[in-house]
Amino acid sequence: MIRVASIAALNECGGDWDLFCSFINPDRAAIVVPKTVKWRARQIYRFHDIIEPDPVKIAPDSSHIENFIEIIRRTGDADSNVLLNCQLGRSRSVAAAAITFASFDRNEASSIPEKLLQLSARAWPNSLMLHLADSLLNLHGALEEAGRVTRAEVARRDPIWMEELAETNRAPEVIEAIEFGRRS
């Protein structure tokens, strides 16, 4: 089982997890994890939720994603219990879920959007993380396509949120999602 959660929702994630990964901003204080959340392996990744270079923020890079893929492969398989969290449980953790699905079964990339939308109704996987993983996993664009399909569906479902998101550093993804949705 794979689960994504925001920091605020970790209280609802009690149980035993084979792997628990957090994707948080570098300047964020440590996350207080509820005592009900138990894990066999734990990893924290510190980078900002950005998709383009920024002079004052740390972007996800290939070393982050390569390390995550190694940990996924070393820690479990498709039957593993994996808890992924980030600030809102919508972007970095959702991208990590997509990467996890692809790592466990690279032939199922076409089913990833549906799985991501089941994990989070506002799934907005970080396109840079997907791009890096796509290259590392030799998926020839399949993971990036899964991200586009997911974001286009969320854009269709929630145009008000798209207006809000378009005012952030994620505007390129919003434009791409709306245009992709029109073509589909």
Side-chain angles (χ1 to χ4, degrees):
M1 171 177 79
I2 297 172
R3 182 162 182 187
V4 299
S6 66
I7 292 171
L10 282 175
N11 287 327
E12 303 163 15
C13 299
D16 295 321
W17 299 95
D18 296 308
L19 177 62
F20 174 26
C21 291
S22 295
F23 300 84
I24 58 176
N25 291 349
D27 53 348
R28 179 175 175 84
I31 296 172
V32 177
V33 179
K35 293 183 191 293
T36 58
V37 176
K38 311 282 187 226
W39 60 83
R40 193 177 63 162
R42 172 88 161 105
Q43 184 68 34
I44 299 172
Y45 296 92
R46 291 186 172 273
F47 53 82
H48 292 98
D49 188 19
I50 59 175
I51 59 171
E52 296 176 333
D54 184 297
V56 296
K57 293 184 177 178
I58 298 171
D61 64 32
S62 58
S63 66
H64 295 122
I65 305 306
E66 187 172 30
N67 179 267
F68 177 68
I69 291 168
E70 285 176 26
I71 287 173
I72 286 294
R73 289 180 170 164
R74 203 173 50 235
T75 305
D77 55 29
D79 295 324
S80 297
N81 290 321
V82 180
L83 175 58
L84 305 165
N85 96 285
C86 65
Q87 181 68 31
L88 298 176
R90 296 180 190 162
S91 182
R92 290 172 283 186
S93 61
V94 171
I99 295 165
T100 302
F101 289 130
S103 294
F104 289 159
D105 189 352
R106 56 186 292 114
N107 297 317
E108 293 297 319
S110 63
S111 68
I112 289 175
E114 180 182 337
K115 292 175 181 179
L116 296 180
L117 291 165
Q118 289 173 357
L119 293 174
S120 173
R122 280 190 169 172
W124 198 264
N126 181 296
S127 59
L128 179 54
M129 290 175 66
L130 295 182
H131 171 75
L132 294 167
D134 212 329
S135 177
L136 290 166
L137 294 169
N138 295 314
L139 292 174
H140 311 288
L143 202 48
E144 290 177 275
E145 179 73 5
R148 279 190 288 277
V149 170
T150 303
R151 289 188 297 274
E153 178 58 23
V154 171
R156 185 192 66 76
R157 290 180 186 179
D158 199 345
I160 303 289
W161 188 50
M162 288 307 95
E163 290 176 15
E164 295 171 20
L165 198 56
E167 300 297 321
T168 71
N169 69 342
R170 306 305 282 279
E173 288 175 333
V174 172
I175 293 165
E176 179 189 55
I178 292 169
E179 289 175 1
F180 185 83
R182 286 184 188 140
R183 292 191 306 262
S184 300

